[in-house]
Amino acid sequence: MRGARVAVVGGSIAGCATALAAARAGADEVVVYERAAGGLQDRGVGLAVHDDRYAELAAAGHLGPDVPWRRLTRRPWIVRDGDAPAGRAVGVLPFPFRSYNWGSLWRELRAGLPDAVGYVRGAAVERVLPGPDGAALRFADGRTERFDLVVGADGYRSAVRAATRAATVPVYAGYLAWRGTLPVELLPGPRDAWPEHDAATVVFPGGHMIVYRIPGPGGRGTSANWVFYTAPPASVGPALRDPTSVPAGTVTEELVAHHAAVVERYFPPYWQEVVRRTPRSGTYVQPIYDLAVPHYGEGRLVLAGDAAAVARPHSGSGAVKALQDAAVLERVLREAPDLDAAVRAYDAERSPTGRAVVDVGRLLGRAQVQATPDWAAMDQEAVDAWWSAAADGGRGFGGHALTGPRE
Ligand SMILES: Cc1cc2nc3c(=O)[nH]c(=O)nc-3n(C[C@H](O)[C@H](O)[C@H](O)COP(=O)(O)OP(=O)(O)OC[C@H]3O[C@@H](n4cnc5c(N)ncnc54)[C@H](O)[C@@H]3O)c2cc1C
């Protein structure tokens, strides 16, 4: 790494983490280019990290104890049951996760970058021009800059990926996630309807909503974070097939009405009220996509986070995967004899993991949204059997171990 100049395109979770990795591995110069002009801290909501994945990331120095988090332990699966306020749990599964506020996580990663790492805001990379011993970045203002290694941490519509894999694009999964947050002070009663450490999952034909507590904005207080998955009305679907046409954060009246109708029809009264009390400003819609690149590294380009693989959020692995990419990148940059060997080692290790995580997301999406069982007819035994046969069953829910799988 001595003398190496490294550019990181994208300054979100994967971008901050891989910039730290390159700096720690000894790169001479590391510069992050982030398209957004402002800070990202106020835009995210909740995410969850499996305890085992946290332990590995903490040991690798890529997720510290300083990021505020909340403890989750159980996942009850809840159906509407007449007028029972909080419905009826048909079964309960273990849920050994830590929950985070996306903004706090990003802020800690950003603050953890050494001063020597440049972080340029409002810098949109327009094109990436790969060469034999490096790559050039062309910016929106026409400027071009050359680097020895370029990390594509620029999310699901990655410009770095497009340089070598233009045909690999996200594929719409056929349904949406609604995300919402509200301060716990706004939750309805009764207070014991939702135990503190529960990731409650309200299930219905064709979808579900998972709800868990997260640290509030800025890490202070506590918020309730929900993610609700179901297919949109048929008239909306076609526009979502091409990710470039998705108006980010736009929630149309038609979608709002559809969401409200599903909630009213299938949700127990307490959970209906949780959704109704969520301020409209605290909700947004995320179309669900699948994407896995065949190669995480080619020449002097490497991909990290969502630029390389987008797994459905059910897999509980978006941030974990990005942080793992950084941990592995740091190791190969330290250990490999040169940059080319480092890229090859990174590619060999991360490409199979990316594909495996995307497969887990598809499996969980099918089981929990696209081909849901007759939830109301289930009991604990049936939930256990369904989870191990049709849903996860140890296939990588919460992300795969940092060390595998490999080819
Ligand atoms: C503002 C924001 C809020 C989010 N909130 C949540 C959340 O609450 N819960 C959750 O589970 N996931 C959230 N995500 C997604 C989550 O961060 C990712 O799924 C995962 O953590 C991997 O992150 P990533 O860094 O690979 O990709 P992303 O987080 O998508 O980041 C990609 C970054 O690259 C930048 N970028 C894109 N193109 C260019 C370009 N051409 N030039 C320069 N920069 C570029 C983008 O502005 C963005 O900051 C959020 C993402 C963002 C950007």
Side-chain angles (χ1 to χ4, degrees), residues 171-177 229 286-290 311-314:
V171 176
Y172 176 53
Y175 60 97
L176 304 176
Y229 301 93
Q286 172 192 4
I288 301 300
Y289 296 102
D290 298 310
R312 302 186 194 182
H314 323 288

Side-chain angles (χ1 to χ4, degrees), residues 126-137:
E126 232 167 38
R127 266 196 84 187
V128 180
L129 309 158
D133 56 358
L137 301 183

